[in-house]
Short mmCIF file of all heavy atoms in Angstrom, two decimals:
data_model
loop_
_atom_site.label_atom_id
_atom_site.label_comp_id
_atom_site.label_asym_id
_atom_site.label_seq_id
_atom_site.Cartn_x
_atom_site.Cartn_y
_atom_site.Cartn_z
N CYS M 14 33.96 -20.75 124.66
CA CYS M 14 33.81 -19.41 125.23
C CYS M 14 34.58 -18.40 124.37
O CYS M 14 35.78 -18.59 124.13
CB CYS M 14 34.39 -19.36 126.64
SG CYS M 14 33.61 -20.51 127.78
N ASN M 21 42.00 0.36 121.16
CA ASN M 21 42.11 1.58 121.97
C ASN M 21 41.75 2.76 121.07
O ASN M 21 42.45 3.04 120.10
CB ASN M 21 43.55 1.77 122.48
CG ASN M 21 43.98 0.61 123.35
OD1 ASN M 21 44.42 -0.42 122.86
ND2 ASN M 21 43.86 0.78 124.65
N GLY M 28 52.29 9.45 132.47
CA GLY M 28 53.41 9.45 133.43
C GLY M 28 54.01 8.06 133.57
O GLY M 28 53.57 7.11 132.93
N GLY M 68 54.59 -20.45 118.85
CA GLY M 68 55.21 -19.29 119.48
C GLY M 68 54.89 -19.11 120.94
O GLY M 68 55.44 -18.22 121.59
N GLU M 85 45.57 -21.15 142.74
CA GLU M 85 46.40 -20.71 143.86
C GLU M 85 45.60 -19.85 144.83
O GLU M 85 45.72 -19.98 146.05
CB GLU M 85 47.61 -19.91 143.36
CG GLU M 85 48.72 -20.79 142.82
CD GLU M 85 49.64 -20.04 141.84
OE1 GLU M 85 49.69 -18.78 141.91
OE2 GLU M 85 50.27 -20.70 141.00
N HIS M 86 44.79 -18.94 144.29
CA HIS M 86 44.04 -18.03 145.15
C HIS M 86 42.91 -18.73 145.91
O HIS M 86 42.52 -18.28 146.98
CB HIS M 86 43.44 -16.89 144.33
CG HIS M 86 44.39 -15.75 144.08
ND1 HIS M 86 44.93 -15.00 145.10
CD2 HIS M 86 44.88 -15.23 142.94
CE1 HIS M 86 45.73 -14.06 144.59
NE2 HIS M 86 45.72 -14.18 143.27
N ILE M 90 40.62 -27.69 143.81
CA ILE M 90 41.35 -28.93 143.48
C ILE M 90 40.94 -29.49 142.13
O ILE M 90 41.37 -30.57 141.73
CB ILE M 90 41.15 -30.01 144.58
CG1 ILE M 90 39.65 -30.23 144.82
CG2 ILE M 90 41.86 -29.61 145.86
CD1 ILE M 90 39.34 -31.52 145.56
N VAL M 97 42.75 -23.73 122.58
CA VAL M 97 42.74 -22.32 122.21
C VAL M 97 42.70 -22.19 120.69
O VAL M 97 43.63 -22.60 120.00
CB VAL M 97 44.03 -21.61 122.73
CG1 VAL M 97 44.03 -20.13 122.36
CG2 VAL M 97 44.17 -21.79 124.24
N VAL M 119 37.00 -16.06 133.90
CA VAL M 119 35.53 -16.01 133.98
C VAL M 119 34.94 -17.41 133.78
O VAL M 119 34.04 -17.84 134.52
CB VAL M 119 34.98 -15.03 132.92
CG1 VAL M 119 33.47 -15.16 132.78
CG2 VAL M 119 35.36 -13.59 133.27
N LEU M 121 36.39 -20.46 134.18
CA LEU M 121 36.69 -21.43 135.24
C LEU M 121 36.04 -21.03 136.57
O LEU M 121 35.68 -21.88 137.38
CB LEU M 121 38.20 -21.63 135.38
CG LEU M 121 38.85 -22.30 134.16
CD1 LEU M 121 40.35 -22.48 134.37
CD2 LEU M 121 38.20 -23.66 133.84
N SER M 123 33.13 -20.04 136.78
CA SER M 123 31.82 -20.67 136.65
C SER M 123 31.92 -22.19 136.70
O SER M 123 31.21 -22.84 137.46
CB SER M 123 31.20 -20.28 135.31
OG SER M 123 30.46 -19.12 135.44
N GLN M 126 32.66 -23.59 139.80
CA GLN M 126 31.65 -23.13 140.78
C GLN M 126 32.28 -22.38 141.96
O GLN M 126 31.97 -22.64 143.13
CB GLN M 126 30.82 -24.31 141.26
CG GLN M 126 30.11 -24.97 140.08
CD GLN M 126 29.06 -26.00 140.49
OE1 GLN M 126 28.81 -26.23 141.67
NE2 GLN M 126 28.45 -26.60 139.51
N SER M 132 34.63 -7.92 140.97
CA SER M 132 35.69 -7.07 141.52
C SER M 132 36.91 -7.91 141.93
O SER M 132 38.05 -7.48 141.75
CB SER M 132 35.16 -6.28 142.72
OG SER M 132 34.68 -7.19 143.69
N LEU M 139 44.83 -8.28 137.22
CA LEU M 139 45.87 -7.28 136.98
C LEU M 139 47.27 -7.89 137.03
O LEU M 139 48.17 -7.45 136.31
CB LEU M 139 45.72 -6.12 137.98
CG LEU M 139 46.67 -4.95 137.83
CD1 LEU M 139 46.57 -4.31 136.44
CD2 LEU M 139 46.40 -3.90 138.92
N GLU M 157 42.09 4.28 133.32
CA GLU M 157 43.17 5.11 133.87
C GLU M 157 44.04 4.21 134.75
O GLU M 157 43.89 2.99 134.73
CB GLU M 157 42.55 6.28 134.64
CG GLU M 157 41.77 7.21 133.71
CD GLU M 157 40.99 8.29 134.41
OE1 GLU M 157 39.92 7.98 134.97
OE2 GLU M 157 41.44 9.44 134.41
N GLY M 160 45.68 1.01 133.49
CA GLY M 160 44.65 0.41 132.63
C GLY M 160 43.57 -0.29 133.43
O GLY M 160 42.63 -0.84 132.87
N SER M 205 32.73 12.65 135.35
CA SER M 205 31.39 13.09 134.96
C SER M 205 30.48 11.97 134.48
O SER M 205 29.85 12.09 133.44
CB SER M 205 31.52 14.15 133.87
OG SER M 205 32.29 13.65 132.81
N HIS M 222 39.82 13.50 120.06
CA HIS M 222 41.09 13.04 120.62
C HIS M 222 41.29 11.57 120.29
O HIS M 222 40.73 10.69 120.93
CB HIS M 222 41.11 13.28 122.13
CG HIS M 222 41.12 14.73 122.48
ND1 HIS M 222 39.97 15.49 122.44
CD2 HIS M 222 42.12 15.57 122.81
CE1 HIS M 222 40.27 16.74 122.75
NE2 HIS M 222 41.57 16.82 122.98
N THR M 223 42.10 11.36 119.27
CA THR M 223 42.27 10.00 118.76
C THR M 223 43.74 9.59 118.76
O THR M 223 44.10 8.58 118.19
CB THR M 223 41.73 9.90 117.32
OG1 THR M 223 42.42 10.87 116.53
CG2 THR M 223 40.24 10.19 117.28
N LEU M 227 51.73 5.84 121.77
CA LEU M 227 52.68 4.74 121.45
C LEU M 227 52.94 4.63 119.95
O LEU M 227 53.89 3.99 119.53
CB LEU M 227 52.13 3.41 121.99
CG LEU M 227 51.73 3.37 123.46
CD1 LEU M 227 51.17 1.99 123.83
CD2 LEU M 227 52.93 3.69 124.35
N LYS M 240 53.30 1.80 107.24
CA LYS M 240 52.80 1.42 105.90
C LYS M 240 51.32 1.06 105.97
O LYS M 240 50.54 1.40 105.07
CB LYS M 240 53.59 0.22 105.37
CG LYS M 240 54.85 0.60 104.63
CD LYS M 240 55.31 -0.61 103.78
CE LYS M 240 56.78 -0.86 103.97
NZ LYS M 240 57.21 -2.18 103.52
N SER M 260 49.87 -1.08 121.75
CA SER M 260 51.27 -0.84 121.36
C SER M 260 51.54 -1.38 119.96
O SER M 260 52.68 -1.53 119.57
CB SER M 260 52.20 -1.48 122.40
OG SER M 260 51.89 -2.85 122.56
#
Side-chain angles (χ1 to χ4, degrees):
C14 300
N21 299 84
E85 281 157 23
H86 276 298
I90 54 164
V97 181
V119 169
L121 293 181
S123 271
Q126 300 190 2
S132 58
L139 183 58
E157 296 173 283
S205 54
H222 294 78
T223 57
L227 307 178
K240 273 197 227 164
S260 54

